[in-house]
């Protein structure tokens, strides 16, 4: 059968009416020349030159039997030329290609094809597919492409330039999928690009088990061998190789993007994994963080099942037996009063032999010397690697406040009549004699020596002198009135700071080292020379703070605390020095960088003494002439504030040190009196460059010194009541 032709005349192409007549002639020719049964099988020759889009769509609808809806905004002409007849199945794809050149596309939905502008097509309903693209041609489809390895968000930036500007591409991170709306042929191209990029990462890890060597010892050697000699990272990622030791399985994990490098490293590992020489099973392990002596004790307990000989770490250190103790600072055997730390590497054995291994600690190099077979050494090496880790530290800021206030008041009148002492006639003498003699407040002591009067207001009446047997010539002091009020306020503020390892005790002592006589002996026998001697014990007197922090798994800090404030109260006692001591010991759990307050030990002491003449001393007003009152009130309060901060790295430690240094430097600069105009003052200290720590090339300029932490306000004791008050002070 002769193929159909659709070729409008040149005259008809120039006018709209001509194009319409040509279309009608084309439809009439189809209806007359093609039988309905044979129309589906016969090829068609398509020849449209500058034909109206609407007319071409109508012609294609007649050929394919599809239903079309043309958007009113679609205008323009298309040209389709086929030199040879084409199958009817290609007529519709040919129309889609022709429409795409005019910025028009077709959207298929519900057996209806809508012809709309390309910019609006993505908003219309259309087919949606998932996985592989099944559509072909210039059909506009939406495809969901899930990814297995690569990130969908990263691929969006790579694929966006390949998408038609009017169409869209988006990433759905939750499902790691791409959503693309574009033409089917372009989607097929993008599908191939995505398949090429969505590949598993190059160089899957390879596990190389070791039979003789230790993976922990072998990995550092391989790392140094595979590193770039220049010290820089390899420019080509294909040349990078990563090796990691797995202590549990004694294996080496190798990963490289280049398979050839992986094979070469594996061969190298197998060559190094050889049995040791006979008699050569001696190994040296240098420790980076742990202490060799302590690691030996742990391994000894592991291999022998015996408890370590190191002291218990559950609390604070205890005093050595047989010593007198003041808190925990007494040291009878040390001339300087410095007590050793509760645990030292020199106190415990540094070698042992058990479990087929001999382990010794070299404390000078902080290393372990192990003599064992390779399987035993490999197991020990895995344990040592776990123990040799950097321990966290705790920075403890303490604020210790001791506030004391003493108030004392004395008022009394004493009188005496001594005019008849030296007379031979019968005379009456007498008087009041209050307070013990020897303290400068008794009237007889003052009469014997006016310079022995105690501090305060002393008023008296003197008339000549008298000679008293046993005392000699004294002033004839007939009347003495004394009045004294004393107020003493003391505020002891200390802000010590401690930085110690986790689960290690830290101690700070600020005070004096005072000698105490603990015994004496003198040889006084006849015929022997005098050879006296004394035994002296030195004790630290002052402020003592001992803290042992322990970091828990949740980040809180457990503190075992002992705090003591002691001072010499009386050094004139015949039995020895009398000390005043206030201490507390506690265990608390506190969050990181939180403040805990301890103490609040308040001591309130009241002394009310009255010396008086019976009956006469109780008479209101007049009785004051026959009495002597002395009252004293002492109040002391002790409070301790602690703030622990966990320090896990070197940067945190340097920050605390620099902050403290800047504060002290600012205080020193504030107290600097400045240079003298005529001479160099030797008392002015030489300051380092501003804002620079010793040994540092430069640092930031320090700001103003931070004030010490504030402490709670504590009120002074209540004033003493008048002496004529019938009730004692509260």
């Amino acid at each position: 059968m002769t193929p159909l032709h659709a070729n409008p005349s040149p005259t008809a192409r120039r006018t709209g009416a001509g194009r319409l007549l040509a279309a009608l002639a084309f439809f009439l020719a189809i209806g007359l020349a093609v039988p309905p049964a044979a129309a589906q099988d016969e090829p068609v020759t398509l020849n449209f030159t500058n034909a109206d889009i609407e007319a071409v769509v109508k012609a294609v609808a007649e050929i394919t039997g599809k239903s079309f809806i043309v958007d009113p905004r679609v205008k323009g002409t298309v040209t389709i030329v086929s030199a040879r007849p084409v199958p009817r199945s290609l007529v519709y794809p040919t129309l889609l290609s022709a429409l795409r050149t005019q910025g028009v596309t077709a959207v298929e939905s519900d057996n209806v094809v809508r012809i709309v502008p390309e910019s609006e097509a993505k908003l219309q309903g259309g087919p949606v597919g998932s996985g592989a693209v099944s559509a072909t041609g210039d059909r506009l489809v939406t495809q969901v492409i899930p990814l297995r390895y690569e990130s969908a968000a990263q691929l969006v930036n790579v694929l966006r330039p390949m998408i038609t500007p009017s169409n869209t591409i988006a990433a759905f991170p939750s499902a790691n999928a791409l959503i693309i709306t574009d033409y089917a042929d372009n989607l097929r191209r993008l599908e191939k690009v995505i398949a090429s990029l969505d590949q598993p990462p190059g160089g899957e890890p390879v596990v190389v088990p070791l039979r003789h060597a230790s993976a922990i010892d072998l990995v550092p050697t391989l790392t140094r061998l595979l590193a770039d000699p220049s010290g820089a990272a390899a420019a080509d990622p294909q040349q990078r190789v990563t090796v990691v030791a797995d202590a549990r399985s004694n294996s080496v994990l190798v990963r490289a993007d280049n398979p050839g490098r992986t094979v070469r490293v594996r061969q190298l590992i197998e060559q190094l994994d050889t049995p040791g020489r006979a008699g050569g099973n001696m190994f040296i392990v240098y420790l980076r963080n742990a202490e060799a002596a302590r690691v030996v004790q742990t391994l000894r307990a592991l291999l022998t099942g015996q408890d370590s000989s190191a002291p218990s770490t559950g609390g604070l250190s205890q005093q050595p037996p047989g010593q007198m103790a003041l808190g925990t600072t007494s040291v009878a055997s040390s001339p300087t009063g410095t007590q050793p730390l509760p645990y030292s590497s020199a106190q415990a054995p540094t070698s042992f032999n058990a479990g087929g291994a001999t382990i010794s600690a070299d404390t000078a190099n902080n290393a372990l010397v192990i003599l064992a077979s390779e399987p035993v050494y490999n197991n020990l090496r895995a344990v040592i690697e776990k123990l040799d880790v950097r321990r966290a530290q705790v920075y403890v800021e303490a604020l210790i406040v001791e506030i004391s206030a003493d108030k004392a008041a004395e008022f009394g009148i004493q009188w005496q009549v001594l005019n008849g002492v030296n007379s031979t006639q019968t005379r009456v003498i007498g008087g009041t004699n209050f307070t013990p003699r020897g303290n400068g407040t008794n009237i007889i002591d003052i009469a014997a020596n006016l310079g022995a009067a105690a501090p305060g207001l002393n008023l008296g009446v003197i008339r000549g002198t008298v000679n008293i047997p046993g005392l000699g010539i004294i002033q004839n002091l007939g009347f003495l009135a004394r009045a004294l009020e004393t107020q003493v306020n003391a505020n002891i503020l200390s802000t010590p700071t401690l930085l110690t390892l986790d689960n290690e005790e830290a101690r700070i002592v600020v005070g004096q080292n005072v000698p105490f006589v603990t015994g004496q002996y003198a040889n006084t026998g006849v015929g022997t020379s005098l050879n006296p001697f004394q035994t002296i014990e030195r004790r630290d007197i002052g402020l003592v703070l001992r803290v042992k922090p322990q970091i828990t798994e949740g980040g809180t800090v457990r503190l075992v605390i002992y705090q003591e404030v002691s001072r010499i109260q009386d050094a004139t006692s015949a039995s020895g020095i009398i000390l005043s001591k206030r201490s507390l010991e506690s265990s608390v759990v506190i969050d990181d960088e939180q403040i805990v307050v301890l103490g609040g030990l308040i001591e309130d002491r009241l002394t009310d003494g009255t010396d008086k003449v019976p009956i006469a001393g109780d008479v209101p007003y007049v009785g004051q002439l026959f009495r002597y009152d002395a009252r004293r009130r002492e109040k002391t309060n002790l409070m301790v504030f602690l703030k622990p901060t966990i320090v896990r790295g070197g940067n945190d430690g340097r920050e605390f040190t620099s902050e403290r240094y800047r504060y002290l430097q600012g205080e020193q600069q504030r107290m600097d009196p400045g240079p003298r105009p005529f001479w160099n003052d030797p008392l002015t200290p030489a300051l380092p460059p501003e804002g620079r720590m010793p040994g540092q090339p430069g640092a930031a300029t320090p700001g103003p010194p931070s004030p010490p932490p504030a402490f709670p306000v504590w009120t002074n004791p209540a004033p003493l009541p008048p002496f004529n008050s019938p009730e004692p002070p509260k």
Side-chain angles (χ1 to χ4, degrees), residues 23-34:
L24 294 176
F26 172 73
F27 296 145
L28 183 59
I30 293 176
L32 297 176
V34 182

Side-chain angles (χ1 to χ4, degrees), residues 208-224:
V208 183
L210 301 180
R211 294 178 297 175
H212 307 287
S214 172
I216 299 175
D217 293 339
L218 188 59
V219 164
T221 303
L222 294 173
T223 302
R224 291 193 299 269

Side-chain angles (χ1 to χ4, degrees), residues 37 59 92 109 268 290 295 305 442 501 504 516 603 706 721:
Y92 178 65
S109 177
L268 182 60
V295 174
N442 188 276
L501 287 173
E504 292 287 346
F516 289 81
E603 179 183 1
S706 302

